[in-house]
Amino acid sequence: MENSPSNNGWQRSGDHDHGDQPPLLEKKQVTISLRQWLDDTKRVADKIECSHIFMQIVKIVSLAHSKGFVAHNVRPSCFVMSSLNHVSFIESPSCSDSSGSENSCQEYGVTNSQTSSFVSRKVHERVISESSVRQEPEHEQKQIKHVFPMKQILQMETEWYTSPEEAAGGESCCASDVYRLGVLLFEENLDEREAVIELEEKIAEQEMLLEFLLLLQQRKQEAAKYLHRNVSFLSSDLQEVSKLQASIRRKENSSSGNGASFSSNVHQNDELDSSGSRKRIKTPKENQESSRLMKNFKHLESAYFSTRHKAIKPVGRQLPRNRANHSEWISPFLEGLSKYMSFSKLKVKADLKQGDILNSSNLVCSLSFDREGEFFATAGVNKKIKVFEYDSILNENQDIHFPLVEILAGSKLSSLCWNPYIKSQIASSNFEGVVQLWDVTQNQVSVTMREHERRVWSVDFAADPKLLASGSDDASVKLWNINQGASVSTIRTRANVCCVQFLSDSSNYLAFGSADHKVYYYDLRNTSIPLCTFVGHEKTVSYIKFIDSTTLVSSSTDNTLKLWDLSGTTSQVLGPLQSFTGHVNLKNFVGLSVSEGYIATGSETNEVFIYHKAFPMPALSYKFNTIDPISGNEVDDNEQFISSVCWRSQSSTLVAANSTGNIKVLEME
């Protein structure tokens, strides 16, 4: 093995006088511990050198094992090596540092059991004498200077070289020595190990990149497949719509008896472009519709493909639909699109100004029309029920509108509902947990029912005018026979009930929304278990309304409305058909009402939003102006919100109220 002498490896000796002969260069032998050699940052790793040193240690350990002894402390601090790389096994690790101070190993955390278990001195001498390849010259031995590792390293080294069986409290054995040899080999080959780790990291990075590219390729291929499918849908549907349009034109021509008249009507707004082809000139209304179409294009696109994909999904083991049924999806989508685009804004038809506008407790919690839409009633935290005549509100141009009927209820009111068959009867619920029936012609209460234990949030009449439902914070729904003035059935739940609603054409089916984020749908002929449970909201369900006999919409303080399908329910737990977003509703009850597929809701931005059940984005919105009652100027008030909405039956008109008691009659146009 080659070894380059260092500056301190050779020195001029002045102790011997050899006359005229030049002074002899004498090699000064310096021994260092293997630990110090390993930790030398200036050392350049050499495979041959490391292998030579390691093989000497292996021979020492092997010789000990051949004699039936365990070497025990096979660790760098228990070996010293000369400048010629001759390795010797010392009896125990030294705790001397470079200052020359020596202390027992036990002072620095090396226990007696760790130092006293070495090979006995006699065995040690035999091992050294038999394993040494050559002895150092006597004069060299006298000049050996021992340099041992710093004492701080010893405890850490002891932990590194402790074998698993020793760590578990067992005795050291030959296998322990082999384990320690492995640790030593790792230390000697640390540079190579670092190179291997670096290579492994590079390989891992390449594999990560490969995985990413493969995943990206897979997703793009799936996207391309999906895109190809969608283009195929569009091509097919364009042909179908063109055929339907041609069929309609033929029918029109046939019914008019003169094809020319229809053709002239169709093309009267056309002009020729530069190529000589006819170019359609849009009317102002058509331009407005086109603008709205482009504004909501992404949402409409999503709704179209969602509808389209659902249309081709096989049901059970049904055979694929034939060509005649291929365009079945067009009618409902076209109907939804037509209704969505039918109206462009909400217009104020009347602004209901009340005499107690300065009252800070004017929040309107509930609105309700009678069956014919002649009257509407309001109720809220001002503890009053007010009845207004609809036509008089529209026709009277007054500074203050007075109610036709005003009833003092005595408690804050949370909900009211007009009996669909008894025009003079209104049901209400209050914050005290009381359900009451009022005769608005007599301005007095007719029935009071006190069975709920906490606040009642909602009441609703069934198709049977004698049957009333209520939902309460006491986690119950009660069914009342108003003739008896008492409950006839109770449904117990696990959470507060915030809203109840009967299916409009039946008294057997009831839905209610709960603070557990769910909607429950019951067949009242068996109240032991819900017919199905609708799961999808993330916060309290505040309102529910039946759009028709197979569709239900719910409102929640999770900022969404959700649409649910009741047709052919075969599962007890169902997810939503669609979510409606655009309004803001995180903490307040903002109202919900439905009419002819249109859904009205309030917002905490003091706006009314109108959706159509076919699409998830708002069709219309209207913001209530906030007027300072003293200055009369419009101001911003982030605390105000819409608190209740109600459609007038069979019309495009609704009444909306906000948290300050401001009530407006709005109409879609």
Side-chain angles (χ1 to χ4, degrees):
M1 177 182 297
E2 294 182 2
N3 186 35
S4 301
S6 65
N7 293 333
N8 296 325
W10 300 90
Q11 73 176 23
R12 188 181 300 276
S13 175
D15 297 333
H16 302 279
D17 185 3
H18 294 278
D20 295 332
Q21 295 180 1
L24 296 174
L25 289 175
E26 184 175 294
K27 183 179 181 182
K28 180 182 179 181
Q29 292 294 317
V30 179
T31 59
I32 62 173
S33 77
L34 185 57
R35 166 54 57 206
Q36 185 176 356
W37 180 79
L38 285 171
D39 292 346
D40 185 0
T41 58
K42 297 180 180 179
R43 178 176 64 86
V44 179
D46 184 285
K47 292 183 179 180
I48 298 176
E49 182 183 30
C50 292
S51 177
H52 173 69
I53 294 169
F54 182 71
M55 288 308 299
Q56 292 182 70
I57 297 171
V58 171
K59 287 181 180 179
I60 293 172
V61 175
S62 178
L63 183 59
H65 289 183
S66 68
K67 301 295 183 180
F69 298 105
V70 178
H72 296 287
N73 275 9
V74 182
R75 51 195 176 99
S77 61
C78 293
F79 292 92
V80 293
M81 55 186 292
S82 70
S83 56
L84 297 177
N85 288 345
H86 179 76
V87 179
S88 298
F89 184 37
I90 62 177
E91 183 170 353
S92 63
S94 172
C95 293
S96 300
D97 59 19
S98 58
S99 66
S101 64
E102 295 189 5
N103 300 281
S104 69
C105 295
Q106 293 175 346
E107 287 185 51
Y108 301 101
V110 181
T111 63
N112 186 55
S113 63
Q114 292 169 330
T115 57
S116 63
S117 60
F118 290 103
V119 182
S120 67
R121 180 175 297 278
K122 181 177 180 180
V123 174
H124 171 72
E125 291 173 352
R126 289 174 60 187
V127 171
I128 296 300
S129 64
E130 295 184 31
S131 64
S132 299
V133 177
R134 70 183 209 177
Q135 300 293 327
E136 299 293 336
E138 184 177 351
H139 70 278
E140 292 180 358
Q141 292 179 1
K142 291 179 181 179
Q143 297 183 30
I144 289 177
K145 180 181 179 181
H146 295 278
V147 181
F148 294 102
M150 296 294 289
K151 56 195 176 187
Q152 290 89 345
I153 299 174
L154 293 179
Q155 186 173 5
M156 288 191 298
E157 186 188 76
T158 302
E159 294 175 358
W160 298 341
Y161 282 81
T162 299
S163 65
E165 52 270 14
E166 290 174 309
E171 294 291 333
S172 179
C173 59
C174 291
S176 304
D177 287 342
V178 175
Y179 172 84
R180 285 185 275 269
L181 284 173
V183 177
L184 178 59
L185 180 62
F186 178 83
E187 282 205 67
E188 287 194 338
N189 293 327
L190 187 58
D191 290 342
E192 293 183 24
R193 178 61 181 164
E194 289 176 351
V196 171
I197 291 174
E198 184 178 355
L199 182 60
E200 289 176 348
E201 288 177 350
K202 289 182 178 179
I203 293 173
E205 289 172 356
Q206 293 294 325
E207 288 180 348
M208 180 175 64
L209 177 60
L210 180 62
E211 182 181 4
F212 166 73
L213 292 175
L214 288 172
L215 181 60
L216 182 61
Q217 181 189 48
Q218 179 185 352
R219 291 189 177 183
K220 292 301 181 183
Q221 287 174 343
E222 291 174 354
K225 182 179 178 181
Y226 191 80
L227 181 61
H228 176 75
R229 190 182 190 189
N230 286 347
V231 171
S232 177
F233 285 156
L234 286 168
S235 299
S236 174
D237 294 343
L238 282 169
Q239 292 178 5
E240 290 290 335
V241 173
S242 295
K243 289 179 181 178
L244 289 172
Q245 190 178 52
S247 175
I248 293 171
R249 286 180 176 177
R250 285 195 299 269
K251 290 180 180 178
E252 180 67 19
N253 290 337
S254 174
S255 62
S256 66
N258 185 353
S261 63
F262 177 76
S263 178
S264 62
N265 289 334
V266 169
H267 298 297
Q268 64 181 350
N269 290 328
D270 290 4
E271 67 178 14
L272 296 178
D273 62 16
S274 58
S275 64
S277 301
R278 287 192 176 275
K279 181 181 178 181
R280 171 85 179 190
I281 301 176
K282 295 182 178 180
T283 65
K285 182 180 179 181
E286 289 174 329
N287 283 326
Q288 187 179 30
E289 290 178 349
S290 179
S291 176
R292 290 185 62 213
L293 195 69
M294 295 307 298
K295 181 181 178 182
N296 295 289
F297 189 83
K298 285 292 183 182
H299 291 296
L300 293 171
E301 176 187 2
S302 176
Y304 161 73
F305 283 117
S306 175
T307 304
R308 196 65 179 83
H309 283 283
K310 288 177 183 177
I312 63 167
K313 287 183 179 179
V315 181
R317 294 189 177 182
Q318 268 187 334
L319 294 174
R321 295 181 178 181
N322 57 33
R323 185 71 176 175
N325 294 328
H326 181 70
S327 61
E328 284 184 354
W329 70 271
I330 293 179
S331 294
F333 182 82
L334 182 59
E335 179 185 359
L337 181 62
S338 176
K339 287 195 172 184
Y340 179 84
M341 301 296 293
S342 293
F343 303 100
S344 60
K345 65 179 181 180
L346 281 169
K347 179 182 178 181
V348 178
K349 293 190 69 177
D351 196 343
L352 198 152
K353 303 177 181 66
Q354 302 184 67
D356 54 354
I357 193 167
L358 295 178
N359 189 334
S360 60
S361 300
N362 272 331
L363 187 149
V364 176
C365 296
S366 186
L367 294 164
S368 181
F369 271 98
D370 74 321
R371 184 173 182 176
E372 289 78 21
E374 293 183 60
F375 305 97
F376 66 89
T378 69
V381 298
N382 62 2
K383 305 178 184 180
K384 298 176 182 178
I385 296 175
K386 298 181 181 181
V387 178
F388 297 89
E389 186 178 14
Y390 177 75
D391 287 338
S392 66
I393 294 295
L394 295 184
N395 298 330
E396 294 178 6
N397 186 16
Q398 300 177 0
D399 293 333
I400 297 177
H401 294 88
F402 294 96
L404 191 65
V405 175
E406 182 173 307
I407 304 173
L408 293 176
S411 298
K412 294 179 180 179
L413 299 169
S414 55
S415 175
L416 59 78
C417 179
W418 217 298
N419 192 313
Y421 294 99
I422 305 174
K423 198 175 185 68
S424 62
Q425 191 175 73
I426 291 177
S428 72
S429 60
N430 67 29
F431 284 37
E432 307 300 323
V434 179
V435 177
Q436 294 176 299
L437 298 177
W438 303 88
D439 186 337
V440 295
T441 59
Q442 300 296 323
N443 289 18
Q444 63 182 18
V445 63
S446 55
V447 179
T448 298
M449 296 172 282
R450 304 177 182 273
E451 294 185 23
H452 281 295
E453 298 173 0
R454 298 178 63 188
R455 171 172 47 189
V456 179
W457 279 110
S458 176
V459 288
D460 189 52
F461 277 106
D464 178 355
K466 301 186 301 298
L467 186 61
L468 180 72
S470 60
S472 168
D473 272 344
D474 64 9
S476 74
V477 173
K478 287 188 178 291
L479 303 175
W480 309 87
N481 184 312
I482 62 174
N483 289 343
Q484 298 175 7
S487 66
V488 292
S489 180
T490 301
I491 301 173
R492 300 288 179 185
T493 67
R494 296 182 179 180
N496 307 40
V497 178
C498 301
C499 48
V500 293
Q501 181 79 26
F502 279 103
L503 187 62
S504 59
D505 57 355
S506 173
S507 299
N508 292 326
Y509 296 97
L510 176 81
F512 60 86
S514 174
D516 65 1
H517 314 168
K518 299 175 184 177
V519 176
Y520 298 91
Y521 183 50
Y522 273 82
D523 183 339
L524 297 179
R525 291 165 293 190
N526 178 17
T527 58
S528 61
I529 187 172
L531 195 60
C532 56
T533 303
F534 301 108
V535 178
H537 279 299
E538 297 177 359
K539 294 178 71 176
T540 296
V541 178
S542 47
Y543 298 95
I544 51 171
K545 298 291 180 182
F546 285 96
I547 293 178
D548 51 45
S549 61
T550 62
T551 315
L552 177 74
V553 65
S554 58
S555 173
S556 168
T557 50
D558 64 4
N559 246 8
T560 69
L561 308 179
K562 293 189 184 296
L563 192 69
W564 314 89
D565 183 16
L566 304 174
S567 61
T569 54
T570 57
S571 173
Q572 288 190 345
V573 178
L574 298 173
L577 283 174
Q578 185 158 260
S579 293
F580 304 90
T581 57
H583 63 290
V584 177
N585 184 200
L586 294 172
K587 58 182 180 180
N588 297 298
F589 283 22
V590 295
L592 182 70
S593 186
V594 297
S595 176
E596 303 294 325
Y598 290 101
I599 305 166
T601 186
S603 173
E604 287 162 9
T605 56
N606 210 23
E607 292 175 278
V608 176
F609 282 84
I610 307 296
Y611 296 88
H612 187 268
K613 66 176 183 179
F615 301 118
M617 64 287 187
L620 304 170
S621 66
Y622 176 83
K623 186 175 180 66
F624 273 38
N625 295 325
T626 304
I627 306 298
D628 185 282
I630 299 176
S631 66
N633 297 326
E634 187 173 331
V635 295
D636 290 330
D637 188 347
N638 295 328
E639 297 299 319
Q640 293 189 26
F641 59 93
I642 301 300
S643 56
S644 186
V645 292
C646 185
W647 287 103
R648 185 170 182 250
S649 61
Q650 299 179 342
S651 75
S652 57
T653 303
L654 74 152
V655 176
N658 78 350
S659 52
T660 64
N662 189 359
I663 301 173
K664 295 181 186 294
V665 179
L666 303 173
E667 184 175 38
M668 296 190 297
E669 67 171 24

